[in-house]
Amino acid sequence: MYIDTRGMSHEDKVKKKRQLTMQKMSYDSDVKKVIRKQEELRDELRRFERERDRIEIYIKENAQKEHTAKEKETFINEELRQIKKQLIDLG
């Protein structure tokens, strides 16, 4: 942004300089806030990703345990059928 200072009085130049300085300070503050927010969001994202990884491990472990439990149930049911058959055969 170009400011034509040729027709400005010294007081107007000082006011404009002060105004621009205040605006710069405000923008600097805003930039720092945005940077802090970005860092917070990055930290939160990393935390969520770690949590997701941990949950995915729990899901896999649970699926394995469920599969093992189903295999055990199938085995036990088969053994029960064999026992019932033997009991019937024995009369």
Side-chain angles (χ1 to χ4, degrees):
M1 173 174 89
Y2 175 75
I3 300 173
D4 186 10
T5 58
R6 288 179 282 178
M8 295 177 87
S9 67
H10 178 70
E11 292 82 21
D12 288 340
K13 288 180 184 179
V14 170
K15 284 181 187 179
K16 190 64 173 175
K17 186 175 181 179
R18 189 176 318 124
Q19 178 187 10
L20 291 172
T21 301
M22 294 300 288
Q23 188 175 12
K24 180 187 175 299
M25 290 171 55
S26 176
Y27 285 156
D28 286 342
S29 174
D30 291 347
V31 166
K32 288 178 183 177
K33 287 177 188 175
V34 168
I35 290 171
R36 277 194 302 271
K37 185 64 176 175
Q38 287 175 332
E39 290 171 355
E40 289 173 9
L41 291 170
R42 275 190 229 108
D43 291 344
E44 188 174 33
L45 178 61
R46 280 192 293 271
R47 184 174 55 83
F48 287 152
E49 287 172 343
R50 283 192 308 268
E51 190 173 319
R52 181 188 62 205
D53 292 344
R54 190 177 71 246
I55 289 171
E56 286 175 351
I57 290 170
Y58 290 154
I59 289 170
K60 287 178 185 177
E61 289 174 351
N62 185 282
Q64 289 172 345
K65 288 177 183 177
E66 181 183 7
H67 179 71
T68 302
K70 283 184 180 186
E71 285 180 340
K72 188 173 184 177
E73 177 188 13
T74 302
F75 173 79
I76 292 171
N77 282 330
E78 184 59 36
E79 290 296 311
L80 282 172
R81 276 192 283 279
Q82 292 295 326
I83 291 171
K84 287 178 186 177
K85 184 178 177 185
Q86 290 174 1
L87 286 172
I88 291 171
D89 289 343
L90 290 174

